[in-house]
Amino acid sequence: IFFATLLISLLSSPQASGEEMNGNAVDPSVRYHALSKNLESLKAEQEFLLFRKTFQTSDSKYLILDPSAGKGMMLYRNRVLRTFLLEKANKKTANPKKGIVELTGKVDGSLKKRMLTFDTLVLHSRQKEPGRLKRPAYKLGRSDMAALYYALDIGSKAYVK
């Protein structure tokens, strides 16, 4: 009984539960914020994995865009069809909202005027300066833009990391 009591007291101590580090008790609000950040990142990862899973068997092409890294991929059934570089249209361009976005419009024209508009961002050719846009804009190379323009249909999905 003595050993059982000792074992229970050790397991319920702050050191065993990780609430005390380096002799200082961790503030519950700090721990709560750390756990909430961890929860948000796990939810984002879950959303991304569910997005990939839905397109694994579907018969449509989709994009995965990582504006902070300046990269993007066009995939079909989880096979990479094309990788491309994203470049901010100007230095003031803010990062778009993370998550799933839908292709809402395609602007046709010469190679310099093609543009793909999504819910929260715009992709355009490097030669075209789109002027004032309300959405974050990113530049693509001419051949990359042509490939995406003809491969994607309105309503196609993309995931912004």
Side-chain angles (χ1 to χ4, degrees), residues 10-159:
L10 285 176
L11 290 178
S12 64
S13 71
Q15 287 180 338
S17 65
E19 293 177 4
E20 185 175 302
M21 297 183 336
N22 299 331
N24 298 331
V26 175
D27 186 24
S29 63
V30 172
R31 187 162 187 226
Y32 174 78
H33 289 296
L35 289 174
S36 64
K37 283 184 182 180
N38 191 16
L39 181 64
E40 288 173 13
S41 66
L42 289 174
K43 281 184 180 179
E45 184 69 22
Q46 180 184 19
E47 181 184 15
F48 176 66
L49 292 173
L50 288 172
F51 176 79
R52 296 275 312 248
K53 182 182 176 187
T54 57
F55 282 99
Q56 188 170 7
T57 57
S58 120
D59 192 31
S60 60
K61 297 174 184 99
Y62 62 99
L63 297 177
I64 295 178
L65 305 171
D66 192 358
S68 60
K71 297 180 182 179
M73 294 186 294
M74 181 171 58
L75 294 98
Y76 173 75
R77 293 190 178 181
N78 288 343
R79 283 178 272 166
V80 177
L81 298 177
R82 188 171 196 99
T83 58
F84 50 91
L85 297 176
L86 293 173
E87 182 182 329
K88 287 186 175 186
N90 59 36
K91 294 178 183 178
K92 296 179 182 180
T93 299
N95 286 332
K97 182 187 88 169
K98 296 181 180 190
I100 299 170
V101 294
E102 185 175 335
L103 182 62
T104 56
K106 295 167 75 171
V107 176
D108 194 9
S110 67
L111 291 175
K112 295 181 180 181
K113 295 183 180 180
R114 284 194 186 125
M115 191 179 334
L116 298 173
T117 58
F118 289 89
D119 297 334
T120 59
L121 69 127
V122 173
L123 300 177
H124 62 88
S125 151
R126 279 199 181 114
Q127 291 78 17
K128 169 139 176 45
E129 290 300 324
R132 297 182 143 271
L133 294 171
K134 294 181 180 179
R135 302 175 196 158
Y138 292 91
K139 298 178 189 178
L140 291 154
R142 183 174 42 190
S143 61
D144 293 330
M145 186 63 196
L148 293 179
Y149 186 85
Y150 290 115
L152 300 174
D153 296 322
I154 291 181
S156 295
K157 304 285 184 188
Y159 188 85

